[in-house]
Amino acid sequence: MRSLLLILTLIAGLSLPGRTAAQAQASVEKYKFDIGAGLGMSGYLGDANESNLFANPGVGLNASFRYLINSRWALRGLLTAASLSGSTADMDNVLPEGKVYDFKSWIYDLGARAEFNFFNYGIGESYKQLSRISPYLSLGLGVAMSRSGDDSFVAMTLPMGFGVKFKLRPRVNLGLEFCMTKVFGDNADSRELKDLYQIKSSFIKNTDWYSTLMFSVSYEFGERCVTCHRID
């Protein structure tokens, strides 16, 4: 009798729909959105610093929101704040009349970027060959406002970034990114530093740049609806 019960139990267990390890991994929840924040250092290239990007390092902060299209692509909205500073006294070139200029300013940049992951970024779905770590590139457009003393200035920006993402947990990501941003204007440092060499600047020519090196943490949310196409 006991042997019969054991056999029936085994048959029932085998007949019930089970979940293999691969199916369990494939059922890991996926999310559509990602929100995060970053902290790091900033640098400046312009009239008061022509070569050494981090000669006068500042502080960089950001807050971001991503739409996760798939494991390779994402769209990211970003608000960045960075402190910039420089001095013409550190330059080899002598300015007209031997003048020396110093400045300190803050720049606030609101923009959108497209991100491309080199690998299928994610965790859990082994059949998709996901990787917990991936380098990535980003490119976008933004609008920045800088303030130096009582002066303010607004211009378009072109951010170009390279970074590495690491998925610490299924919904928690760490990132390290270097971004170089072209400012389409010559007043990101200060109005006093505009056209120091008496060469008139334009939308592209003789404009300022700023950079950020940021460490970030982000959290995914917004469960994605996925249809299961399992075939028994």
Side-chain angles (χ1 to χ4, degrees):
M1 185 66 179
R2 290 182 180 179
S3 299
L4 179 60
L5 289 175
L6 179 60
I7 293 172
L8 291 175
T9 301
L10 291 173
I11 294 174
L14 292 173
S15 64
L16 290 174
R19 294 177 66 188
T20 65
Q23 290 169 343
Q25 287 183 336
S27 67
V28 174
E29 292 179 336
K30 293 297 177 183
Y31 300 89
K32 296 182 290 185
F33 308 112
D34 173 296
I35 190 169
L39 174 66
M41 62 186 295
S42 60
Y44 152 82
L45 283 179
D47 296 296
N49 180 25
E50 297 178 336
S51 58
N52 189 347
L53 184 60
F54 291 107
N56 297 281
V59 176
L61 307 165
N62 69 30
S64 69
F65 176 87
R66 280 190 184 94
Y67 171 57
L68 307 173
I69 300 174
N70 53 42
S71 60
R72 285 294 184 102
W73 290 95
L75 295 178
R76 187 183 186 191
L78 201 66
L79 175 61
T80 302
S83 63
L84 309 178
S85 63
S87 174
T88 60
D90 301 328
M91 295 167 49
D92 295 331
N93 295 339
V94 178
L95 298 178
E97 301 179 8
K99 291 185 178 180
V100 175
Y101 297 90
D102 299 280
F103 86 94
K104 290 184 179 181
S105 69
W106 275 88
I107 191 165
Y108 306 92
D109 197 332
L110 178 63
R113 305 178 191 176
E115 292 183 350
F116 173 73
N117 301 321
F118 283 47
F119 307 139
N120 290 321
Y121 181 65
I123 187 173
E125 296 178 333
S126 58
Y127 68 94
K128 289 185 177 180
Q129 298 182 334
L130 299 180
S131 173
R132 296 182 68 167
I133 186 169
S134 177
Y136 69 93
L137 295 174
S138 68
L139 180 67
L141 286 173
V143 178
M145 181 188 75
S146 67
R147 295 192 63 87
S148 178
D150 296 329
D151 292 333
S152 61
F153 168 72
V154 177
M156 297 289 294
T157 59
L158 177 66
M160 298 165 280
F162 172 79
V164 178
K165 300 174 182 178
F166 175 70
K167 189 166 282 293
L168 183 65
R169 299 179 64 83
R171 298 174 68 175
V172 180
N173 307 279
L174 304 179
L176 181 66
E177 180 187 73
F178 174 76
C179 183
M180 196 74 186
T181 302
K182 181 176 180 61
V183 182
F184 292 103
D186 195 29
N187 291 340
D189 35 32
S190 171
R191 292 186 184 275
E192 292 184 348
L193 294 169
K194 183 178 177 64
D195 303 335
L196 289 182
Y197 297 102
Q198 300 176 3
I199 300 174
K200 186 174 179 58
S201 60
S202 64
F203 183 71
I204 296 177
K205 181 181 179 181
N206 194 32
T207 56
D208 297 323
W209 294 74
Y210 80 90
S211 64
T212 55
L213 179 62
M214 297 275 210
F215 173 78
S216 63
V217 179
S218 65
Y219 181 78
E220 296 176 12
F221 67 99
E223 185 175 351
R224 192 188 307 272
C225 179
V226 178
T227 301
C228 179
H229 299 287
R230 178 185 173 189
I231 299 176
D232 294 325

